[in-house]
Amino acid sequence: MSLYLIGDVQGCDDALQRLLADIGFSPSRDRLILLGDVVNRGPASLATLRRLRALDGAAEVLLGNHDLHLLAVAHGVRPPHRSDTLDDILQAPDRAALLDWLRWRPLALMERGWLLVHAGVLPQWTPAQVLALAAEVEERLRAPDVGAWLHRMYGNHPDRWDDGLIGADRWRVIVNALTRLRFCSADGVMEFATKDSAAQAPAGFLPWFDVPGRRSADTPIAFGHWSTLGPLCRADLLALDTGCVWGGQLSAARLPDGLEAPDARRAEIIRIPCPQAQRPGR
């Protein structure tokens, strides 16, 4: 069985279909894990969501910030953004089934020794903590009162982790780290305003994966979310958001089998060009 990790699709279903054809994907033989942001900004969010739900036994989707935004808009928690392309889902006859399927997706996974998240990991967290904290939020997303919970989820504060956090403050930090993080300080204060490349870190901050003493440093991590980062493949890190919706590429990584020590440099990387669906800054 081949295991493929796929970066941010963002509703670009044609690109996803071409990528699956390019890798010769077989649902009976292979498995996909999409690293979040499967919907929004691209032209075919509904088709993307239907395709992935139909592959439920062979495909898993991590929740990204755009996927959570869809749930929040659907529950009346947030207004649609002018660049959103979610109306096809919100008006679909199978809307309820699709949204229910989406909110049962995980925020983090461990596969073949890899920690998989959409955005980032705070320096204080071990991989085991990441999975445990993600499970706390997943439980809330799957509860009957998910709409009321979503009302309390958004905001930039607290901007750092503390083991003593409880309730909405605790869950907000978890969600922000796993779905929005790019830069943080050496002691884990999150910065959300900057969306530039790693070389343009704001003063006092650095890419989350370069924080000295990060407790997850011994575990390889694959993530998406950061299209301006560019391709990043080093032994302990694999970044797979290569800006499909912005006219970049849609990327997949086939993880090798049977290696004692996972190493991103041994992954097979497949990229296909994508037409531009959104312009930066809109």
Side-chain angles (χ1 to χ4, degrees):
M1 179 187 77
S2 292
L3 174 61
Y4 294 93
L5 309 180
I6 298 178
D8 301 35
V9 177
Q10 293 201 237
C12 297
D13 184 63
D14 177 69
L16 177 59
Q17 187 174 9
R18 288 187 289 116
L19 177 63
L20 297 183
D22 195 64
I23 64 177
F25 171 70
S26 169
S28 63
R29 182 190 64 223
D30 305 321
R31 186 164 182 243
L32 309 174
I33 300 178
L34 290 94
L35 300 178
D37 281 1
V38 296
V39 299
N40 206 16
R41 304 295 174 84
S45 290
L46 176 60
T48 302
L49 209 53
R50 283 175 172 166
R51 180 184 303 279
L52 295 171
R53 181 171 179 252
L55 291 172
D56 198 19
E60 183 58 279
V61 171
L62 297 185
L63 289 171
N65 52 302
H66 282 282
D67 311 310
L68 291 174
H69 175 69
L70 167 60
L71 294 174
V73 171
H75 283 86
V77 172
R78 305 190 86 191
H81 189 274
R82 66 180 183 275
S83 297
D84 285 352
T85 57
L86 300 172
D87 285 350
D88 54 352
I89 298 174
L90 297 173
Q91 298 171 12
D94 52 347
R95 159 188 164 140
L98 291 169
L99 294 177
D100 189 61
W101 178 81
L102 188 64
R103 71 188 182 98
W104 278 79
R105 300 308 98 207
L107 279 159
L109 286 174
M110 185 70 78
E111 290 281 339
R112 296 189 185 178
W114 286 79
L115 179 61
L116 312 178
V117 297
H118 174 61
V121 173
L122 287 175
Q124 300 96 325
W125 293 348
T126 66
Q129 281 179 290
V130 172
L131 297 174
L133 295 172
E136 290 184 29
V137 173
E138 291 159 13
E139 182 179 7
R140 296 304 308 145
L141 281 168
R142 297 164 186 175
D145 63 343
V146 60
W149 184 83
L150 287 166
H151 270 283
R152 305 171 65 195
M153 187 184 74
Y154 283 93
N156 292 342
H157 295 280
D159 59 5
R160 71 187 74 193
W161 177 250
D162 186 297
D163 288 336
L165 288 173
I166 61 172
D169 284 348
R170 180 181 180 90
W171 298 322
R172 198 177 300 122
V173 173
I174 298 169
V175 168
N176 284 341
L178 295 179
T179 69
R180 298 177 61 201
L181 183 61
R182 293 184 181 92
F183 296 102
C184 66
S185 68
D187 57 353
V189 175
M190 295 182 282
E191 196 274 349
F192 298 116
T194 308
K195 298 183 179 180
D196 297 322
S197 70
Q200 296 170 292
F205 294 90
L206 61 165
W208 64 265
F209 46 79
D210 284 335
V211 173
R214 175 170 58 88
R215 297 183 70 193
S216 56
D218 291 336
T219 298
I221 299 177
F223 61 100
H225 183 61
W226 199 343
S227 62
T228 55
L229 183 63
L232 176 64
C233 183
R234 66 190 203 195
D236 62 330
L237 285 173
L238 185 56
L240 285 174
D241 181 4
T242 44
C244 175
V245 76
W246 310 112
Q249 298 173 313
L250 183 61
S251 293
R254 180 184 177 274
L255 297 187
D257 302 319
L259 293 173
E260 291 185 7
D263 187 331
R265 296 169 299 185
R266 295 189 177 102
E268 176 189 359
I269 306 297
I270 306 99
R271 296 190 176 100
I272 60 165
C274 303
Q276 187 177 61
Q278 292 270 350
R279 293 185 181 277
R282 283 185 56 188

